[in-house]
Amino acid sequence: MNIKRLFSITALWYLAFAFAISLVVPIVFEEFNLSDVSRIGFALFGINVIYTVFTGILIGVKKQPAVYLLFFPLIYLMGVKLFFESYAYYFSLFYIIVAFLAYGAAKA
């Protein structure tokens, strides 16, 4: 893998969107005083899964490095302690699997 591509403007965009989805969305849900069930349903099963599938497909179609797929789950792991219970750590593994499945489907 070309190390130059890893530290490109594209990588910074993926990092910025990963921060926005994994940290800003839970903050917005906190401000709206949504219940725990709503936050889990919308954030963990809705927005995060859609974002993960979208980035997996986008990275696969554009033939970009698969390392970009790890940005969101890793940032999610850093922010999960702030907004969710301890069981939410397991979702990062789920997001990695979904991202690589979408990546593989788009690349084939």
Side-chain angles (χ1 to χ4, degrees), residues 6 10-11 13-16 20-23 36 53 58 64 69 71 85 89:
L6 187 58
T10 305
W13 275 109
Y14 282 118
L15 278 171
I21 297 295
S22 63
L23 297 177
D36 288 341
V53 169
L58 184 68
Q64 295 172 334
L69 296 173
F71 290 167
E85 300 296 325
Y89 287 111

Side-chain angles (χ1 to χ4, degrees), residues 22 31 37 45 47 60 63 76-77 88 94:
S22 63
E31 290 300 315
V37 174
F45 289 113
I47 296 171
K63 299 191 181 354
Y76 168 80
L77 272 177
F94 173 70

Side-chain angles (χ1 to χ4, degrees), residues 64-108:
Q64 295 172 334
V67 135
Y68 292 167
L69 296 173
L70 298 176
F71 290 167
F72 173 69
L74 292 177
I75 294 170
Y76 168 80
L77 272 177
M78 289 188 287
V80 75
K81 192 169 187 164
L82 300 172
F83 304 106
F84 298 108
E85 300 296 325
S86 63
Y87 60 84
Y89 287 111
Y90 299 111
F91 281 96
S92 64
L93 180 62
F94 173 70
Y95 297 146
I96 290 173
I97 292 168
V98 168
F100 276 99
L101 285 173
Y103 175 76
K107 204 163 177 159

